[in-house]
Amino acid sequence: MTERNSKSTSSFAKRKSRTAVAKPARATAPGVIRMAAIQMASGPNVSANLAEAERLVALAAAGGAKLVALPEFFAIMGNKDTDKVAAREEEGKGPIQKFLATAAKKHKIWLVGGSVPMACDNPKKVRNSCMVYDDKGKLVARYDKIHLFGLDLGVEHYQEEKTIEAGDRIVVLDSPFGRIGLSVCYDLRFPELYRAMPDVDIILVPSAFTATTGKAHFETLVRARAIENLAYVIAPAQGGYHLSGRETHGDTMIVDPWGVVLDRLPRGSGVVMAGINPAYQASLRKSLPALKHRTLDCSHIQIQGKAIK
């Protein structure tokens, strides 16, 4: 995708906006599938965020993408942590899920709602849920974020557990593009999650990394997950300044199984695109069969002769 400066205005305050302009779908090598990761700088207005998401999804589809992934909390980055609780939806109901289903069907793509605030038994919390829709607009997978972010750097504090209820189930799904493993943002720091995913070809990591932690670790972690799993990693992100005053890191990227960054967008709204090549991935896994060389069972560990489980 080509990025150009945009002079258009929206509700996305203070962002450094670089809007991706879709080229016509290019002829690709046989078997290569175009994928897209969308970057946003979402605000507290759900309707405005959905309008921006629709614009970017349309650009990705026009560029030939067959799977398009939106970032974490693409539909709402509130002024307060509790704003997402007020915007929560029951499964199968609500404007955010309706948008995802409609857009997937309209553009004939698989669409990943990076995360949606979903209702749970605790009325003061939500599940942070990654929702996947097929090209007919059908919900085919839902993953509730397992690892909840916490950070205390003195002037910078985050405690997701106050408003988010953790999930407890690893989710993979088979698709026309290969087996996909789902994760969200802070999950990226826990490699055992991905090791527990059987034979995944593509890993999705919709994120909203802070500017502080993202600058230090985001690229390193994304590339590490790609390399150690010999998988493509698609990492759509929030990237810019938000009305709440929060700054997110951005750097949306798609990384190949060798750890090569195929395309990226440092800041602002836009679309990142790359081709997924299953034959290339298979050749890497044949040449370096590291996944078959795994022998360590970490379920039983001994420390100074004492077994622990």
Side-chain angles (χ1 to χ4, degrees), residues 61 65-67 102-110 134-136:
K66 301 302 181 184
L67 182 146
T102 301
K105 185 176 181 179
K106 174 183 176 182
H107 296 291
K108 297 181 176 60
I109 57 172
W110 281 54
D134 68 13
D135 53 4
K136 296 179 176 60

Side-chain angles (χ1 to χ4, degrees), residues 50-254:
L50 294 183
E52 177 75 341
E54 166 58 28
R55 183 180 71 84
L56 294 168
V57 168
L59 280 171
K66 301 302 181 184
L67 182 146
V68 179
L70 289 154
E72 184 180 24
F73 285 130
F74 71 95
I76 182 165
M77 291 282 285
N79 290 325
K80 306 185 301 295
D81 286 343
T82 53
D83 288 353
K84 62 180 174 287
V85 180
R88 66 190 183 275
E89 297 184 356
E90 298 284 346
E91 187 168 314
K93 302 177 182 178
I96 303 173
Q97 294 170 85
K98 182 179 180 181
F99 159 76
L100 291 167
T102 301
K105 185 176 181 179
K106 174 183 176 182
H107 296 291
K108 297 181 176 60
I109 57 172
W110 281 54
L111 182 59
V112 181
S115 75
V116 179
M118 299 294 288
C120 62
D121 291 338
N122 187 332
K124 295 183 179 180
K125 294 185 178 184
V126 298
R127 289 288 182 106
N128 189 2
S129 304
C130 180
M131 316 286 281
V132 183
Y133 293 79
D134 68 13
D135 53 4
K136 296 179 176 60
K138 178 185 177 183
L139 177 66
V140 292
R142 169 183 167 177
Y143 164 74
D144 296 344
K145 184 179 180 181
I146 291 174
H147 300 99
L148 302 184
F149 181 52
L151 178 71
D152 187 352
L153 292 177
V155 297
E156 193 173 7
H157 305 269
Y158 298 96
Q159 286 185 290
E160 287 189 335
E161 65 180 11
K162 287 187 174 181
T163 53
I164 297 175
E165 179 181 273
D168 58 3
R169 188 168 58 95
I170 296 167
V171 177
V172 300
L173 69 146
D174 290 321
S175 78
F177 326 114
R179 180 165 291 177
I180 299 173
L182 302 181
S183 62
V184 176
C185 199
Y186 192 51
D187 285 331
L188 189 60
R189 292 185 181 272
F190 301 89
E192 63 272 21
L193 170 65
Y194 304 97
R195 284 302 198 206
M197 296 176 176
D199 303 322
V200 288
D201 304 304
I202 301 167
I203 291 171
L204 284 164
V205 194
S207 298
F209 260 64
T210 70
T212 303
T213 59
K215 181 179 179 180
H217 303 143
F218 187 64
E219 179 181 347
T220 301
L221 290 168
V222 171
R223 294 178 69 188
R225 298 297 85 85
I227 293 165
E228 67 197 12
N229 294 287
L230 287 165
Y232 285 93
V233 176
I234 301 173
Q238 294 281 348
Y241 292 94
H242 305 267
L243 286 172
S244 63
R246 178 176 175 176
E247 182 184 1
T248 47
H249 174 64
D251 207 14
T252 288
M253 65 182 74
I254 299 175

